[in-house]
Amino acid sequence: MRLFSWWLRRALSAVLTLFLVSVLIFAASRWMPGGFAEVVLGPFASPEQKAEVAAKYGLDESVFVQYWLWLGTALTGDFGISMISGEPVTTEFGLRLPVTAQLALFGVAAAVLIGVPLGVLTAVRAGGRRGGAALGRLVSGLGVSVPEFVLGSIVVFLFSRYALGLTVGGYVPFGQDPAGNLQSMVLPAAVLSVFVIAVAARTTRDAVLNVLVEPYITASIARGESPGFIVARHVLRNASIPVITVLSTITAYLLGGAVIIEYLFNLPGIGTYLVQAVGRRDYAVVQAGVLLAAVVFIVLNMLTDAAAGVLDPRFGAAAKGRKR
Amino acid sequence: MRIPVVLCAAATAAVLVGCSAAPLDPTTATSDVPGYLAVADESVTAGGTLDLQMTVDNGAATGLDPQLADVATSWQLMSLVYETLVTVGPDFSIEPALAESWENPSPTEYVFHLREGVTFSNGRPMTADDVVGSLERLLAGEGVWKSQIGPVEKVSTVDEHTVSVTLSEPYAPLLAALANVPAAVLPMAEIEDGSLDVTAQMLGTGPYVVESHRQDVSWKFTRNDGYWAEDKPSADTVNVVIAGQEQARMAALQNGSADLVMLGNVDAPQLLNGARGTSVGTQATTDFYYLMLNSNAQGGKFDDPRVRQAINIALDRQAMADSALGGLGRPTGVTPAGLPGACDPARVPSAEADLDRAKQLLKEAGAENLTFGLAAYSTAPAPAVAQVIQQNLRRIGVEVTIEQLDEGSWSGKVYGEVPATFDAALSWFAGYADPGMVGKWWNPEQAGFNVGFMEPNPELNEAIDKAIATPEGPERETALQQLCDAVDTDAQMIPLVTRPALIGYRSDALSPTLYETEGYGNVFRGIADFRLLSK
C-alpha cells in the first residue's frame, strides 16, 4: 500500500510538473521576439496571407484560448501540425526519433561500458602511480573540460580531410544501409562519448571512493576477502545509486536531442529539428519537443528512484520516513 | 612515464607532417567562356547521381506553390521541376525557354510562341491554356511576384501554341520578370480539377521530378524522361541534402560525399585551398545589402533627410566590399551593380560629397551627437558589414550600437510593428535580372513590408515609375541613374554592396555549368547540363 501511495504521489507530481512545463513553454514560445507571420511567411506577406495562416493554425485566438485548445488535443496525443512542413508534429518527431535514439544508445553504451569501469579503476587505484589511474583522470578531466562544440569542430575539420572511411553528415537510416549508417554515426557518437564517459567516470570514481572509506570495507579487508570480491560484492552495489542517477540524466539529455552534436554533424535528429523550429517560430514543434524532453526526464527520474529503492532498501525507508 | 610522452610527441609530429604534406591545388573556378564560371564538358558520358548540399530548405508556410515563393533557395529547388516562358542568359539577355520566340508588336503587347512537344511530367502536353491560366492565377493571387510582373491588363490564348500578353502601360522588366520561377507555367488543368494540390506537390515541365522530400533534411529528384530538351538532363538522379552547418557542408565537399555545396563564409576559398579535388566559384549576384533608417524611429532620429544623407555620405562601400565581404562584393546603387544599364554608384550624390559635408548636414539638423542602434542578424557576413558601418559612422561622430539577433527576432523587430520601433537595420535584397525591378521596393505603397519605417516620397516614386516604363536605350540609362540619385537622396533605405554566392564543387567528380553573375540566385540554372565525371 505504501509503495502504491509512493507511486501515486510521484505520478501526481509528474503530472503537475508536466502541466507547469507546458504552460511555461507555451508562454515562452509566444513571448519570443519575432512572430510566426514575419518569420514563416516572410516580409512580403500580405495581411490577408498572415490572417489566413493565423486562422489555419488557430493563432488568431487569444493565448489562453490557444493554450486550452492545444492542451485538449495534446491530451489525446495530437500535438498539432508543423507550420513549415504541414505534417503532424508526431509524424515529424517519429521520423527524427530513430536518429536521436541511436545516438543516445551509443552514448549510454559508452558511458556504461567505458565510463563506469574507468571510474572504478581510477578509484581503486587512486593515489597509485600505475597507468590506469592516470589515464582515467586524464580522460575524465579532458572530457568534462573540453566543450562539445570545440571537440566536434576539430573532429569535423580533421575527418573532412582525412575521412578514414567515416563521413561527416550523410546520415542514412540503419535499415536502409547499415554500413553507411555506422560510417556517419561513428564520429558524432565518439565526440558525444568523450563527454559522457568523462561524466560517468568522474561520478563513479567519487562514488566508489566514498564507499572505500566505509567501515564495512575495512572489515572486509580484515576478513581477508580478495580485492576483486570486495569491489564486486560490496563496492559496486553501494556505489551504484549516484552512478545510476547520472546515467539516467545522461540518457534523458541524449534522448532530448544532443543539439550541438546533431547540428555539427548535420544529423536529422530531434535536437536539430528543435533548433530549426525555434528559429522559425514553429510553435507546435517547439511545444511538443520541450514537453517530450520533460516527459523523458520525469519518467527516467521515477525509474531511477525505483531502481535506487530496489538496490538499497534504506532509500525507500528514508523516503517513507521523511514523508510521514 | 617518459616513454609514452616521447611516443605521443612522435605520433603528434607524424600526424602534423602528414597533414602538411597535402599538395596545394589551385581551387578557384574560372572559365574561358565569357559570362561563365564553369561550362559542363559535353564529351563526358551522361548519367549518374548528383549530390548537392544547401543551407536551408524551402521553408515557407505557403508550401511548394511557386507563385508564392519569394526567396532564392525556394527558386533554386523549384527550378528543377518548374520552367518559365523565357529564361535569363549569362549576360542577362532574355533567352527562349518554354516560349520558343516572342514578338513585341507595340510597347504594351507581347506575343509568345510556345515550344511544341513540351509535356508536364505526368505526360500531358503543355498548352496555351496552361500559360494563360498560370499568369491569370499569379495576377489574382497574393504572391510578391504579382507586382513584379507589372501592369498586365490581359492574358489571352491566340491559338494552341500562341499566347498574347497586353499591358496597360509600357513596362521594361516584363520579360525579366517572366524568367523567374514564380512566373512558371503550372499544370492548370490538374490544379483546376483538384487532382493536384500545388502547395504540397510539384508537377512541372522541368528536367526533374520529385521522388521524395523530407522537410529540412533532403530531397531526391529523378530524371523527367519526357523532358523536351534532347539528351537532357544529364544526371539521372539529384540528391539534395539540407545542411545548416557550414563546416558540415565543407566536410562533405572535401570527403567527396557531396559534388556541389553552397557556402556562406567569404573566406571559403582560403579555407578550402589545398583540399585536393575541390574548386570554389565566386558567383557575383545582383543581391545587395542595404541599410534601413527608420523615419518613424523614436525621438525623430531619422525623420530629417539631412541626417540620413549625412549617414549615407559617411558610408564607405568599398571598405565593406573589401573587408566584410573579402573583396567579393561590389559597391552598388539601387540598380544592382553587374546588371546591364545599372547606374554608376560613384556618381550618386552621396559619393560625390565628403565627410565635412556629412558633419555639416548633421550640424544643420542639430544631430551632432547622434547615437542609434543597428539591428543585424547573425548570419555571416551581415555582422561584419554592420561593423564596417559602425566604424564608418564614427568618423562623423555618430555612435552605433550593433544589436545582433537571430533571424526570427530580427524579422519581428523590423517588420513586426507599424510604425516600426527600431532605429536602423541591415538586410539584403535579391536584385533580380532587370535594373529597374528591385527599385519597386523603395515605394512602400507597392512593397508593403516597409510601411512601418519608410515614408512615401512622391519624387522617388516618380523616378521608380519612369525607370520601369522607359524601354531599353540611352533614355533608360538616364532614368536608371535618376532612380539611383533619388534613392540616394531619400536615404531611407540605402543600397550598400552586392552579396556574392560561393559555390564549392568537386572538380574531380563534377563538370558543372555556372554563370559568372546570377540575377535570381539560381545556382542550379544549368543543372540539366551538369556532367558527372566519376559516377
Side-chain angles (χ1 to χ4, degrees), chain A residues 43-225:
Chain A
F44 290 106
S46 65
E48 291 77 18
Q49 280 178 297
K50 291 178 184 176
E52 194 181 321
V53 170
K56 185 177 175 185
Y57 294 98
L59 298 167
D60 51 350
E61 304 281 359
S62 74
V63 176
F64 297 106
V65 173
Q66 284 181 44
Y67 177 75
W68 182 248
L69 294 173
W70 174 77
L71 188 66
T73 53
L75 287 173
T76 66
D78 176 2
F79 289 89
I81 305 284
S82 161
M83 277 193 281
I84 301 299
S85 68
E87 294 289 331
V89 171
T90 44
T91 306
E92 292 286 358
F93 275 100
L95 288 168
R96 288 161 172 86
L97 189 61
V99 183
T100 299
Q102 191 183 355
L103 201 57
L105 183 69
F106 283 142
V108 173
V112 172
L113 300 177
I114 303 173
V116 173
L118 198 63
V120 174
L121 185 74
T122 50
V124 171
R125 295 186 177 172
R129 293 178 59 83
R130 293 170 71 178
L135 179 68
R137 285 197 299 274
L138 182 70
V139 168
S140 57
L142 278 177
V144 293
S145 56
V146 178
E148 283 173 344
F149 65 86
V150 172
L151 187 61
S153 299
I154 293 169
V155 168
V156 167
F157 175 74
L158 286 177
F159 280 84
S160 59
R161 294 218 166 192
Y162 310 97
L164 305 178
L166 304 172
T167 60
V168 175
Y171 171 83
V172 282
F174 188 82
Q176 191 179 316
D177 177 6
N181 172 274
L182 292 176
Q183 277 181 317
S184 64
M185 290 298 270
V186 164
L187 290 176
V191 173
L192 197 63
S193 298
V194 171
F195 172 69
V196 295
I197 286 171
V199 172
R202 284 177 78 91
T203 308
T204 308
R205 180 176 180 270
D206 292 346
V208 171
L209 282 174
N210 284 337
V211 173
L212 286 177
V213 297
E214 291 288 340
Y216 55 81
I217 299 295
T218 313
S220 301
I221 295 168
R223 284 197 298 272
E225 292 172 0

Side-chain angles (χ1 to χ4, degrees), chain B residues 429-447:
Chain B
F429 274 130
Y432 311 141
D434 178 279
M437 290 174 81
V438 75
K440 280 190 165 190
W441 304 146
W442 265 255
N443 179 349
E445 284 153 356
Q446 284 195 23

Side-chain angles (χ1 to χ4, degrees), chain A residues 221-241:
Chain A
I221 295 168
R223 284 197 298 272
E225 292 172 0
S226 71
F229 180 81
I230 294 172
V231 169
R233 181 68 186 267
H234 304 297
V235 176
L236 286 184
R237 184 175 177 130
N238 287 299
S240 61
I241 290 173

Side-chain angles (χ1 to χ4, degrees), chain B residues 322-343:
Chain B
D322 291 342
S323 52
L325 299 172
L328 304 177
R330 292 170 65 180
T332 185
V334 71
T335 58
L339 278 176
C343 69

Side-chain angles (χ1 to χ4, degrees), chain A residues 40 46 96 161 263 280-281, chain B residues 61 142 215-216 245 254:
Chain A
V40 174
S46 65
R96 288 161 172 86
R161 294 218 166 192
Y263 191 65
R280 288 164 163 180
R281 310 300 189 258
Chain B
E142 293 287 336
Q215 181 67 42
D216 297 326
Q245 180 67 10
Q254 290 180 86

Side-chain angles (χ1 to χ4, degrees), chain A residues 283-301:
Chain A
Y283 300 139
V285 175
V286 176
Q287 287 154 204
V290 174
L291 209 59
L292 174 71
V295 167
V296 169
F297 260 96
I298 288 168
V299 169
L300 282 172
N301 254 330

